[in-house]
Amino acid sequence: MRLSRIFTQQPLIVGSKVQLDTATSHYARNVLRLKTGTNIILFNSLDSCDYISKLCFDGKKTFASIASTLDCNTESSLDSEIIQGLSRNDHLDWMIQKTTELGVKRISIFNSNHSQIHVKPNQLEKKQHHWRAIAINACEQSGRHVPPEIVFFNNLQSLLDAPYRRENKFLLDFQGPRLVTLLKSQSKPTQISIMLGAEGGLSVTEIELANAAGFISGQIGNRVLRTETAAVTAIGIAQSCWGDI
């Protein structure tokens, strides 16, 4: 039977006993409905190991005794980034979950000209906490050890101005060749960034900004995909061509 995987930010050492935080304890006790003595897997973002541990509930506290470790690196060799115009909450949540499962390393979100509701500064901390929780949950399910970095920008220009290494840059548009054709025409890189808009796509101004910054326009296919479907499909294509799928 597959063991439940639970993320913790604590250092993990074989032979030690760790106390799980309140949120993780609630998840193990009330969501997964685990019992004392159940074997689970703990992992953190500090290494690529699964730590086989035995769960123990003591009153309101939850402990895990680490018995052994298993090295099982499941991170993709392709350093992939999705650059996403801010979309509706449910669409964005679904995109974060599925691209995390597919191995994305970084998700850059920005207030787009076509975003229906922009994220305000006083909302950002709560939003980022929510997005990270979704990514962690996707890591628990998929076997990953390192949640993707999720960053936010007020607009596309500030995103493009930020210091971040992008070797291969593509833009999902209704113009240009197929994305799979663009990828297969180049030698295998170590990094790829794929940009797409919110519902309604990117504005003409944003497309021009991206093209000027070196993003190559391409399309997925003949059908018009929802923004969250397009992001997941693009990462799947990239992982198939250059990654580990």
Side-chain angles (χ1 to χ4, degrees):
M1 184 177 69
R2 187 174 185 268
L3 300 182
S4 298
R5 300 181 77 248
I6 296 177
F7 176 82
T8 178
Q9 299 189 57
Q10 303 178 70
L12 299 173
I13 302 172
V14 173
S16 66
K17 185 178 182 180
V18 297
Q19 181 177 349
L20 304 182
D21 61 39
T22 302
T24 305
S25 176
H26 171 80
Y27 177 65
R29 185 192 301 260
N30 300 313
V31 179
L32 297 178
R33 297 187 180 279
L34 302 177
K35 307 296 183 182
T36 291
T38 302
N39 285 330
I40 62 171
I41 293 173
L42 293 180
F43 70 100
N44 55 29
S45 58
L46 303 177
D47 55 37
S48 59
C49 294
D50 281 351
Y51 291 83
I52 314 301
S53 310
K54 190 175 291 293
L55 202 60
C56 176
F57 295 110
D58 184 5
K60 293 185 178 181
K61 296 181 180 179
T62 303
F63 299 92
S65 299
I66 304 173
S68 61
T69 183
L70 179 64
D71 189 359
C72 50
N73 186 11
T74 55
E75 295 302 310
S76 174
S77 58
L78 179 63
D79 182 355
S80 58
E81 176 192 25
I82 279 290
I83 303 174
Q84 171 79 64
L86 181 69
S87 55
R88 276 176 33 185
N89 290 338
D90 55 338
H91 294 171
L92 194 61
D93 291 354
W94 195 88
M95 181 277 291
I96 292 171
Q97 180 187 67
K98 301 309 178 186
T99 56
T100 297
E101 292 175 17
L102 288 170
V104 74
K105 296 291 181 68
R106 177 183 170 102
I107 300 173
S108 298
I109 303 167
F110 66 97
N111 283 327
S112 172
N113 291 342
H114 288 166
S115 295
Q116 296 178 17
I117 301 176
H118 288 187
V119 171
K120 299 175 182 178
N122 63 343
Q123 301 172 320
L124 184 55
E125 183 177 357
K126 183 178 180 180
K127 288 284 188 183
Q128 288 180 318
H129 179 78
H130 173 73
W131 294 334
R132 178 169 170 79
I134 291 172
I136 287 173
N137 181 260
C139 287
E140 290 173 335
Q141 185 277 327
S142 64
R144 287 189 65 178
H145 294 88
V146 184
E149 179 185 15
I150 303 178
V151 291
F152 179 81
F153 298 90
N154 286 327
N155 51 56
L156 180 56
Q157 188 63 64
S158 62
L159 184 151
L160 296 174
D161 290 341
Y164 181 72
R165 177 185 61 84
R166 296 186 175 98
E167 294 179 0
N168 295 270
K169 299 177 285 189
F170 300 94
L171 165 67
L172 296 187
D173 192 7
F174 299 111
Q175 306 297 323
R178 299 287 180 90
L179 178 63
V180 66
T181 302
L182 289 171
L183 300 188
K184 288 183 175 180
S185 68
Q186 304 184 35
S187 57
K188 181 178 179 179
T190 57
Q191 193 278 336
I192 179 175
S193 295
I194 302 174
M195 181 187 299
L196 66 156
E199 298 86 354
L202 296 168
S203 68
V204 173
T205 301
E206 288 170 333
I207 292 173
E208 291 174 348
L209 280 174
N211 290 155
F215 283 81
I216 301 172
S217 291
Q219 56 182 307
I220 289 178
N222 295 329
R223 290 172 293 282
V224 178
L225 304 182
R226 292 178 180 271
T227 179
E228 70 274 22
T229 310
V232 172
T233 303
I235 286 294
I237 291 171
Q239 286 282 45
S240 177
C241 290
W242 291 343
D244 59 355
I245 292 180

